[in-house]
Amino acid sequence: MQIGLAVGDVRGPATLATVVNQVRVAADSGFATAWASQALGWDALTALAVAGATSDIAVGTAVVPAPQRHPLMLAGQALTAQAAVTGPLTLGVGAGIGAMVSGMFGLPTDRPVRRMREYLSVLGPLLRGDSVDHHGETLTAVGAVLIPGGIPAPSVVLAALGPHMLRLAGELTDGTATWMTGPKTLAEHIVPVITKAAAEAGRASPRIIAGLPVCVTDTADDVRARIAEQFALAAQVPEYRATLDREGATGPQDVAIVGTDIEVAQALTRFRAAGVTEFMAAPYGTTAEQNRTISVLAELALTETR
């Protein structure tokens, strides 16, 4: 199981210079990938294009909500970022949190699996340099992304938690990226469903990217209380509530990895055993807490590559 490091907004307010430095630290510390999530601040792909241009590390989005970006536009953004960075790019996409998609952007959220199927059926060819002429139930896309230079198509993964979206991820993408999902749910639900779908579609074994806040600390109760407050939304929205219920968790504080260096290492072992191929660690807490966490995770990442 590879270990990657989350950068940017998910770790707290950060300037662009801070994001660039976080990616550099991830590269210098031996992490496999630097991951950026699309929140309400920096554009994830643009920030990675800037930061990844000067650090030799794989980069990825986990994830970019698709409804706000037409696939013609997202394909152009992704290929531009891939051309800029020194390592390979993983383009993680998702349907987005329904309340935000409708409430902030006024976009429809009905038939999410149908919409995503059409979206991915167009996005894949565009990333490969092909033209599309798609007139579907939920999407129209006509044209191509004309970028010279033979830019390789990024790997595409889909944020998927429910069975229908997981089957779609296995059929049409390279894997899935999860957030706030524990090892029990991964082992008993996510990994079996997507793996079966990929096999039936004749695709390679899927990438299983699991993301969680991580904090190496001697005051676990205090840290979990802060996580419960900061990530309270995840305990309320249907997209995450169903997954937390599968895990038997009250909220994000119950699935976050918090504890001593030994306890953190033991937790990561459980994710490896669950079938996770790549773990996205989001260092949590103060600067000192994050630095301590990164130091411990760097040692664990080195062990994973031996």
Side-chain angles (χ1 to χ4, degrees), residues 77 81 99 109 125 142-143 147 180 209 243 297-298 306:
Q77 286 182 301
T109 57
V142 180
I147 297 180
M180 295 297 182
I209 304 156
T243 301
L297 288 171
R306 287 173 180 164

PDB file of all heavy atoms in Angstrom, residues 77 81 99 109 125 142-143 147 180 209 243 297-298 306:
ATOM      1  N   GLN A  77      -8.306  21.258 -18.708  1.00  0.00           N
ATOM      2  CA  GLN A  77      -7.609  21.594 -17.464  1.00  0.00           C
ATOM      3  C   GLN A  77      -6.665  20.471 -17.048  1.00  0.00           C
ATOM      4  O   GLN A  77      -5.518  20.706 -16.647  1.00  0.00           O
ATOM      5  CB  GLN A  77      -8.616  21.854 -16.348  1.00  0.00           C
ATOM      6  CG  GLN A  77      -9.344  23.174 -16.444  1.00  0.00           C
ATOM      7  CD  GLN A  77     -10.293  23.360 -15.271  1.00  0.00           C
ATOM      8  OE1 GLN A  77     -11.196  22.558 -15.052  1.00  0.00           O
ATOM      9  NE2 GLN A  77     -10.077  24.400 -14.496  1.00  0.00           N
ATOM     10  N   ALA A  81      -2.594  20.548 -16.756  1.00  0.00           N
ATOM     11  CA  ALA A  81      -1.881  20.237 -15.521  1.00  0.00           C
ATOM     12  C   ALA A  81      -0.886  19.109 -15.739  1.00  0.00           C
ATOM     13  O   ALA A  81       0.251  19.153 -15.242  1.00  0.00           O
ATOM     14  CB  ALA A  81      -2.878  19.865 -14.430  1.00  0.00           C
ATOM     15  N   ALA A  99     -26.129  18.880  -1.679  1.00  0.00           N
ATOM     16  CA  ALA A  99     -26.608  20.147  -1.121  1.00  0.00           C
ATOM     17  C   ALA A  99     -25.789  21.329  -1.628  1.00  0.00           C
ATOM     18  O   ALA A  99     -26.321  22.433  -1.802  1.00  0.00           O
ATOM     19  CB  ALA A  99     -26.558  20.086   0.404  1.00  0.00           C
ATOM     20  N   THR A 109     -29.273  17.558  -9.308  1.00  0.00           N
ATOM     21  CA  THR A 109     -28.579  16.460  -8.638  1.00  0.00           C
ATOM     22  C   THR A 109     -29.324  15.134  -8.774  1.00  0.00           C
ATOM     23  O   THR A 109     -28.922  14.140  -8.169  1.00  0.00           O
ATOM     24  CB  THR A 109     -28.390  16.773  -7.144  1.00  0.00           C
ATOM     25  OG1 THR A 109     -29.678  17.018  -6.549  1.00  0.00           O
ATOM     26  CG2 THR A 109     -27.509  17.998  -6.958  1.00  0.00           C
ATOM     27  N   PRO A 125     -12.521   9.603 -23.648  1.00  0.00           N
ATOM     28  CA  PRO A 125     -12.026   9.866 -24.997  1.00  0.00           C
ATOM     29  C   PRO A 125     -11.367  11.237 -25.137  1.00  0.00           C
ATOM     30  O   PRO A 125     -10.352  11.375 -25.834  1.00  0.00           O
ATOM     31  CB  PRO A 125     -13.293   9.779 -25.854  1.00  0.00           C
ATOM     32  CG  PRO A 125     -14.203   8.878 -25.093  1.00  0.00           C
ATOM     33  CD  PRO A 125     -13.942   9.186 -23.652  1.00  0.00           C
ATOM     34  N   VAL A 142     -19.640  18.116 -27.787  1.00  0.00           N
ATOM     35  CA  VAL A 142     -19.227  17.967 -29.177  1.00  0.00           C
ATOM     36  C   VAL A 142     -17.886  18.666 -29.353  1.00  0.00           C
ATOM     37  O   VAL A 142     -17.760  19.859 -29.061  1.00  0.00           O
ATOM     38  CB  VAL A 142     -20.263  18.583 -30.146  1.00  0.00           C
ATOM     39  CG1 VAL A 142     -19.802  18.424 -31.587  1.00  0.00           C
ATOM     40  CG2 VAL A 142     -21.636  17.949 -29.946  1.00  0.00           C
ATOM     41  N   GLY A 143     -16.890  17.934 -29.788  1.00  0.00           N
ATOM     42  CA  GLY A 143     -15.594  18.559 -30.030  1.00  0.00           C
ATOM     43  C   GLY A 143     -14.454  17.722 -29.510  1.00  0.00           C
ATOM     44  O   GLY A 143     -14.585  16.529 -29.231  1.00  0.00           O
ATOM     45  N   ILE A 147      -4.577  19.726 -27.784  1.00  0.00           N
ATOM     46  CA  ILE A 147      -3.318  20.088 -27.141  1.00  0.00           C
ATOM     47  C   ILE A 147      -2.204  19.276 -27.783  1.00  0.00           C
ATOM     48  O   ILE A 147      -2.191  18.050 -27.678  1.00  0.00           O
ATOM     49  CB  ILE A 147      -3.365  19.828 -25.627  1.00  0.00           C
ATOM     50  CG1 ILE A 147      -4.431  20.720 -24.969  1.00  0.00           C
ATOM     51  CG2 ILE A 147      -2.000  20.070 -24.985  1.00  0.00           C
ATOM     52  CD1 ILE A 147      -4.558  20.528 -23.475  1.00  0.00           C
ATOM     53  N   MET A 180     -13.276   9.793   4.528  1.00  0.00           N
ATOM     54  CA  MET A 180     -14.001   9.507   5.766  1.00  0.00           C
ATOM     55  C   MET A 180     -14.641   8.120   5.744  1.00  0.00           C
ATOM     56  O   MET A 180     -15.766   7.923   6.209  1.00  0.00           O
ATOM     57  CB  MET A 180     -15.073  10.573   6.034  1.00  0.00           C
ATOM     58  CG  MET A 180     -14.535  11.955   6.298  1.00  0.00           C
ATOM     59  SD  MET A 180     -13.515  12.004   7.805  1.00  0.00           S
ATOM     60  CE  MET A 180     -13.105  13.761   7.848  1.00  0.00           C
ATOM     61  N   ILE A 209      -8.137   4.137  -3.277  1.00  0.00           N
ATOM     62  CA  ILE A 209      -7.468   5.250  -2.604  1.00  0.00           C
ATOM     63  C   ILE A 209      -8.343   5.680  -1.429  1.00  0.00           C
ATOM     64  O   ILE A 209      -9.482   6.113  -1.630  1.00  0.00           O
ATOM     65  CB  ILE A 209      -7.252   6.421  -3.578  1.00  0.00           C
ATOM     66  CG1 ILE A 209      -6.468   5.961  -4.803  1.00  0.00           C
ATOM     67  CG2 ILE A 209      -6.552   7.589  -2.884  1.00  0.00           C
ATOM     68  CD1 ILE A 209      -6.688   6.809  -6.033  1.00  0.00           C
ATOM     69  N   THR A 243     -22.110   6.030   4.833  1.00  0.00           N
ATOM     70  CA  THR A 243     -20.846   5.307   4.990  1.00  0.00           C
ATOM     71  C   THR A 243     -20.434   5.237   6.452  1.00  0.00           C
ATOM     72  O   THR A 243     -19.946   4.198   6.924  1.00  0.00           O
ATOM     73  CB  THR A 243     -19.746   5.990   4.157  1.00  0.00           C
ATOM     74  OG1 THR A 243     -20.149   6.000   2.777  1.00  0.00           O
ATOM     75  CG2 THR A 243     -18.435   5.263   4.276  1.00  0.00           C
ATOM     76  N   LEU A 297       4.642   9.391   9.340  1.00  0.00           N
ATOM     77  CA  LEU A 297       4.110   8.820   8.097  1.00  0.00           C
ATOM     78  C   LEU A 297       5.225   8.610   7.070  1.00  0.00           C
ATOM     79  O   LEU A 297       5.183   7.648   6.293  1.00  0.00           O
ATOM     80  CB  LEU A 297       3.043   9.738   7.514  1.00  0.00           C
ATOM     81  CG  LEU A 297       1.703   9.787   8.267  1.00  0.00           C
ATOM     82  CD1 LEU A 297       0.815  10.893   7.720  1.00  0.00           C
ATOM     83  CD2 LEU A 297       0.986   8.441   8.181  1.00  0.00           C
ATOM     84  N   ALA A 298       6.213   9.498   7.041  1.00  0.00           N
ATOM     85  CA  ALA A 298       7.321   9.350   6.101  1.00  0.00           C
ATOM     86  C   ALA A 298       8.084   8.058   6.380  1.00  0.00           C
ATOM     87  O   ALA A 298       8.504   7.345   5.445  1.00  0.00           O
ATOM     88  CB  ALA A 298       8.248  10.553   6.184  1.00  0.00           C
ATOM     89  N   ARG A 306       9.869  -0.793   0.807  1.00  0.00           N
ATOM     90  CA  ARG A 306      10.988  -1.743   0.924  1.00  0.00           C
ATOM     91  C   ARG A 306      10.589  -3.127   0.431  1.00  0.00           C
ATOM     92  O   ARG A 306       9.454  -3.529   0.557  1.00  0.00           O
ATOM     93  CB  ARG A 306      11.462  -1.813   2.389  1.00  0.00           C
ATOM     94  CG  ARG A 306      12.212  -0.585   2.830  1.00  0.00           C
ATOM     95  CD  ARG A 306      12.509  -0.637   4.314  1.00  0.00           C
ATOM     96  NE  ARG A 306      13.243   0.547   4.749  1.00  0.00           N
ATOM     97  CZ  ARG A 306      13.384   0.938   5.997  1.00  0.00           C
ATOM     98  NH1 ARG A 306      12.842   0.217   6.960  1.00  0.00           N
ATOM     99  NH2 ARG A 306      14.064   2.011   6.308  1.00  0.00           N
TER     100      ARG A 306
END
